[in-house]
Amino acid sequence: MTYIIYSSALIGLSYLIYRLFLSKETFYNLNRGVLLSLMVISFSIPFISVPESISFKTTLFQKEIVENPTTNSLEVDVYNNENPVSFSENTTTDIVTDSINPSIISLDWKSIILYIYILGVMAFGVNFLIQLIVLLYRMIKFPTIEVDAYKIVETNTNHAPYSFWNKIFINPNQYNPDTYLQILKHEQLHISGKHSLDMLLVELLVTVQWFNPFAWLYRKAIDNNLEYLTDHGMLIKGEDKEVYQMNLLKVSTPDMPTGLATSYNQSFLKKRIIMMNSKKSTAKSGWKYLIIIPLLAVTVLSFNPVSINTSIDESISNELETPSDEHFKESKFKNDFTRGAWDAEEGGGKLCIMYRNAEPLKRSYWSITRCYDPSFFANFPSGSKQKFEITRDAGTMVFSGQYENGIGDGRYTFTPNTSFSNALSKQGFKADNEELVHCFLTDFDNSYLAYLKQENLSLDQDDFEDIIHKGLSLEKLKMYRKELSKLGYTDYTMNEVSKLNLFDVDVSYIKFINNVNGQQATLKEITKAKIHNLSPEFIKSYNDNGYKKMSLNDYMRLKIHNVSPDFIADFKKEGYTNISAKEAQNLKIHNVTPQYVQAYKNAGYKSITLKEAKNLKIHNVTPAFITSFKTSGYPNITLKEARNLKIHNVTPDLIKSYKKAGQTNLSLKEAIKLKIHGISPEQAKAAQQNGQSSSSTSSSGKGYQEVKQNPNDFIKQFKALGYENASVDDIISLKIHNVTPDFIKKYHAAGYKNIPLDKVVGLKIHNVTPEFVNTFKKAGYKNISIDEAMSLKIHNVSPDVAKEYKNIGYSNLDIDDLMSLKIHNISPEYIKEFKKTRFGNLPLDDIMSFKIHNVTPEFIKTFEDLGYKNITEDQAQSLKIHGVTPEFVKSLKEQDNDVSLDQAIRIKIYF
């Protein structure tokens, strides 16, 4: 619980630092890094132990003891040599009584709080999973359009557009094409910036710290900063600021779809616009970021655990220490390397022995293989069930079993030499039985230790373990040190030398790699080359084929991907004489062969480039796929068109179906557009009129099969309504905005014929229905036009509002009047209040003018209080228009008490 509370406090401190110092800065990328870093730091800092000498916590603790020498706690002073305090029987009894009695009647609050916390984590964890499941469900339920590196999931519910990972969730019916495109650009920036990672991390934060209000504020801060960052990116890419902000207002909805997603618009829209218009931060603000370091340092020194002073007398420390249950548990299940099985085989001038776990079912399996000179087993007795003993400084290994004719197996037992273990300890190396076994196998002995001391080699525990685990013998170490020095290697680690030995890298190979590299390669690069078997023969084969100036990394990549000179030569035979090694590598990775390229040439694409061939292969485009389009009436299909057709799964059968639906002159580009927007010929919608119903027919299996066309097919239905010349773009627009033939038929029934398709789309976008138009007709507006109906809907004017105006005396208002009143926010209530003033009998146009210029009764009264009782309508507006204030008039009256309002206005205009 201490860790949870401390990390929560650090999250709170991190949020306050950001909120007070950084939230108004326009370094959005830097702020993103700071917020994520502080979150990670908040969970990491509690694990840091502070040395006793610099901890503020220790200083405060010691001060408290000095100031309160009389304490009820029982302490053993391990820093002094005084005898421990002894207690009488009565004292002990009192202590036990005091400690037991309260526990009988008290509750274990710590456990209760812990259980509540765990339940909270489980609840929010389930919520986290539900959010992921909801996103997955929407991905599966709704149609997905693949565009470049992202996918569009087109929903049919009203929600703010949002993105998660590489998917954009949007209801296309809610927006016009320009706004729709801008939303996609915005969400693309979220995707390219991998903002979903931020949201996942912060969602985990609020799951773990659900009780911490600062964790929720922290999530909001990260979310807000991502929106600022994306808005900034949109403006940098050239979006018009005013148009972009206007679109934000159009799209703005308050509800977020899910906590894991980045949403296009949120409730803090005003802040986003302010940040877009704010002045860019300068380098002078850098001190605000530097202040984080001292604040965190003070926190660590004040609250982190203290590292105990190791200078305490070891004898007292040993008396106080008691091994924990975990210690015994760990020791019980630890692998025992002192006994096991062995298998030996001689070959290639070496004797290789594999040591392994003899009881793999009881413990985790392990094995070690070491190779020796065959003389290692020269004295092994012949026959079965023999024993052979070898003693080295690290201990004695007894082999039992059989070894004859270079092959053998059996069991082994190792007895450690404790005196050698002590010798290692004096050198600063910790060695348990496992390490001693490895010392035996490597022949790491007293002479090895003497050499290290003689050469003044300062090795740490990791170096020691690298030597014994990777089998670096003393002779090999001496050899490598001598030869590496000759080659100019002075700065290397024991780990690097051990790996040279492990992968059998000799001096000649090091020289060979350096020669290939043109300069001294690192030992890590040399080992990597050896692992991938980069040989002189491989290099020579490229040199012989004209590739003589490649880097070591180039050769490495070619070798890793198994690109041979013969592979390149085959492409040269096809006419690609300037093929580079890098191109050959990419072709090999994507399995592009000369035969694949030749097949395209045979299909008529003589000038196909290797880049085109690679892209076609990536998208699984074959010459047969292209030929199928040529036979369908597209003889001039380009490779780029073929790739796009494949990406969007457009088949010749699908195009035939489009043509049957009336799109006889359909181009390949138009077919792709139709497919992207999910307009298939088989998408038939049931007719809602005359009691008719229609069945929808869908294709399954490969491609689009020949199907009986439904009379209510999406495209045919619009043509039947008189839109014979509807273009593919028109059809796509209708589909995007979910305009159905039935929607148009309802307008026909209401008396509106031959509505242009662009206006039909406009009516749908703004949710203008025939029912809405009829409500105005019933209110007396018989000749309302489509454009007027759309304007009324846009400005949220209803027949009820018109009735309210009529009730206060304005019975002859036309459509334009209603919209003007709405646009200028002149409500019936406003007119009622206005009529109570001395200007109450003004015509409606004059009232509107007063509203436009913000001339209020309060404004007029301030001038009346100065003695101007008969202010006219024109004077009142002129005063407001030209910014004449009562204070200004007062200053004029100090010079001339008889100054008129007209004079004041003229003075303001000209002076």
Side-chain angles (χ1 to χ4, degrees), residues 86-250:
S86 62
F87 302 95
S88 65
E89 290 181 7
N90 293 335
T91 306
T92 307
T93 303
D94 292 341
I95 294 170
V96 172
T97 303
D98 290 341
S99 62
I100 292 176
N101 286 342
S103 67
I104 296 173
I105 60 174
S106 64
L107 295 173
D108 188 359
W109 289 106
K110 286 186 178 180
S111 296
I112 293 173
I113 293 171
L114 181 60
Y115 290 147
I116 293 173
Y117 168 73
I118 293 172
L119 287 173
V121 171
M122 291 173 65
F124 283 94
V126 170
N127 177 61
F128 180 82
L129 291 176
I130 289 173
Q131 292 182 54
L132 288 174
I133 292 169
V134 168
L135 288 171
L136 182 61
Y137 169 76
R138 290 175 179 172
M139 292 176 197
I140 296 171
K141 178 182 178 182
F142 297 109
T144 301
I145 300 167
E146 188 169 342
V147 182
D148 297 328
Y150 66 96
K151 297 179 180 179
I152 304 172
V153 180
E154 292 190 340
T155 65
N156 57 12
T157 56
N158 292 330
H159 63 80
Y162 58 92
S163 62
F164 179 74
W165 220 251
N166 69 331
K167 292 180 174 60
I168 299 172
F169 297 79
I170 185 172
N171 182 352
N173 302 324
Q174 291 181 264
Y175 313 109
N176 62 46
D178 290 338
T179 305
Y180 178 84
L181 180 60
Q182 193 171 82
I183 292 172
L184 294 184
K185 290 180 181 178
H186 179 99
E187 295 302 335
Q188 284 177 52
L189 288 179
H190 278 306
I191 292 170
S192 61
K194 301 186 187 306
H195 294 174
S196 293
L197 289 174
D198 303 41
M199 299 309 298
L200 281 169
L201 286 174
V202 79
E203 197 68 16
L204 289 173
L205 167 65
V206 296
T207 300
V208 175
Q209 295 191 1
W210 56 268
F211 61 92
N212 184 6
F214 287 107
W216 297 92
L217 292 170
Y218 205 93
R219 180 173 79 165
K220 185 177 180 182
I222 286 183
D223 202 356
N224 290 359
N225 185 67
L226 290 178
E227 290 303 323
Y228 298 151
L229 176 60
T230 306
D231 291 340
H232 181 63
M234 290 289 287
L235 298 182
I236 288 178
K237 291 183 76 172
E239 289 291 329
D240 183 86
K241 185 188 294 185
E242 292 183 2
V243 173
Y244 179 64
Q245 292 174 356
M246 187 59 66
N247 277 336
L248 286 179
L249 290 169
K250 289 180 183 177

Side-chain angles (χ1 to χ4, degrees), residues 634-650:
Y634 298 94
N636 299 318
I637 178 174
T638 66
L639 294 176
K640 184 177 180 180
E641 286 175 327
R643 186 190 66 184
N644 289 336
L645 290 165
K646 189 68 175 181
I647 290 171
H648 297 291
N649 196 26
V650 179

Side-chain angles (χ1 to χ4, degrees), residues 430-450:
K430 296 178 182 178
D432 57 14
N433 287 346
E434 178 185 347
E435 270 65 45
L436 289 175
V437 170
H438 281 94
C439 287
F440 177 90
L441 300 178
T442 307
D443 201 11
F444 190 95
D445 54 14
N446 287 312
S447 60
Y448 213 127
L449 290 173

